[in-house]
Amino acid sequence: MEPAATGTDPRWTVLGPVGAPLVVFIHPTRMNRTFWTPQLEALAPSIRVLAVDLPGHGRLEPERFTLAGAVAVVQAAIDSERASMDEAVPTVIVGLSLGGYVAMALAAEAPGIADTLVLAGSTAEPTGRRAHPFRVLALAYDRTHHLAFDRLTAAFVRRRYPGGLGDLLVTSGFASRGGSDALRSLAGEPFLPRLAAYPGTVVLVNGQRDVAMRPGERRFLATSRRGRLVTLPGAYHLSSLDRPAEFTAVVRSAVAEAVESRRQAG
């Protein structure tokens, strides 16, 4: 079942002990914060976790997606938590697909926003000819009747993720207009310079079978000032759902490294 939210802001869910390291989760296109349910449930007993809805998705579906608007929502969520946080507490931002690109855009604007970025399924630079797949997918969302597209997506999700998780994702809904707006917002945007400007640790995560993102992963790794690459065996693009335990372990490791780095620096 969906984790219960603490706090009062409808744009995000916050769970876990106050004063613990903060992990911020940013979802992919057409999904919403419930996408991160396996990670929230696993981490909340010991880590402060925050999952946002981006514009055009979830509670913010009536709003039009823009990259600037998405960055502003995540920034507001982090600011709301930091108001009651000790400055020594580390922050890790985790984004998958669209969420990874939003994380890079935010980190470029505010390099001190996080100790570590965990960027999953977001190692395709959407510029030049590589922008074409983003625009084609956006057009597919637009031209397919959203009810028919949602039915196909629901059938796939329930088959791929049984045991209640698929039902939860389907019940939370799919944001086709938000997804197409998001893809168009990314197309033509350069993210490698944004990543290069970020001084913290970068953990790149790709599913072994993510054929869309893996060709660019080495370029993104080389651009990161302090980066490493993790490949999850057997996983596709939605690696956090395909291999939830392994993905959560990557996040735990990133948090532990951030805590140790803060300890050594202080």
Side-chain angles (χ1 to χ4, degrees):
M1 61 183 298
E2 181 180 0
T6 65
T8 58
D9 198 300
R11 296 173 294 176
W12 51 76
T13 295
V14 186
L15 299 166
V18 175
L22 176 65
V23 179
V24 182
F25 289 96
I26 316 175
H27 62 77
T29 57
R30 299 186 70 231
M31 299 290 187
N32 54 62
R33 68 183 112 160
T34 61
F35 177 85
W36 296 108
T37 296
Q39 285 68 45
L40 301 185
E41 291 181 340
L43 296 173
S46 59
I47 294 171
R48 188 75 164 169
V49 291
L50 187 161
V52 302
D53 281 343
L54 298 176
H57 301 76
R59 287 289 191 94
L60 298 183
E61 189 168 357
E63 298 183 15
R64 295 302 292 260
F65 181 96
T66 65
L67 187 57
V71 166
V73 169
V74 181
Q75 178 78 69
I78 294 174
D79 287 348
S80 75
E81 277 300 295
R82 284 193 168 166
S84 59
M85 280 174 57
D86 187 312
E87 290 185 0
V89 174
T91 298
V92 174
I93 298 178
V94 182
L96 191 146
S97 195
L98 170 64
Y101 292 108
V102 172
M104 283 185 268
L106 172 59
E109 290 187 13
I113 196 72
D115 299 76
T116 303
L117 303 181
V118 179
L119 307 174
S122 47
T123 53
E125 178 76 327
T127 57
R129 61 181 177 80
R130 288 180 291 271
H132 186 61
F134 290 76
R135 295 190 176 104
V136 168
L137 186 54
L139 187 62
Y141 287 167
D142 289 339
R143 290 195 172 180
T144 305
H145 191 282
H146 70 92
L147 293 178
F149 200 86
D150 286 356
R151 282 195 294 269
L152 291 172
T153 304
F156 168 79
V157 167
R158 285 194 168 106
R159 183 174 64 252
R160 179 71 177 164
Y161 307 112
L165 177 59
D167 288 337
L168 173 61
L169 295 172
V170 171
T171 301
S172 68
F174 306 108
S176 292
R177 190 190 75 172
S180 62
D181 286 344
L183 289 166
R184 287 194 177 88
S185 294
L186 297 182
E189 287 281 343
F191 287 91
L192 284 167
R194 290 176 162 114
L195 189 61
Y198 174 64
T201 299
V202 175
V203 183
L204 302 174
V205 182
N206 276 329
Q208 180 187 20
R209 298 175 180 175
D210 189 349
V211 297
M213 295 295 161
R214 294 206 62 194
E217 62 189 15
R218 293 291 171 182
R219 190 178 178 201
F220 273 71
L221 181 62
T223 299
S224 306
R225 297 191 195 181
R226 291 188 292 160
R228 71 176 185 274
L229 174 64
V230 178
T231 304
L232 296 185
Y236 292 86
H237 186 57
L238 302 182
S239 57
S240 66
L241 298 182
D242 293 338
R243 292 291 182 269
E246 293 89 337
F247 192 97
T248 301
V250 173
V251 177
R252 285 191 190 277
S253 176
V255 171
E257 290 176 11
V259 169
E260 179 60 19
S261 178
R262 288 279 186 125
R263 188 192 66 80
Q264 292 181 1

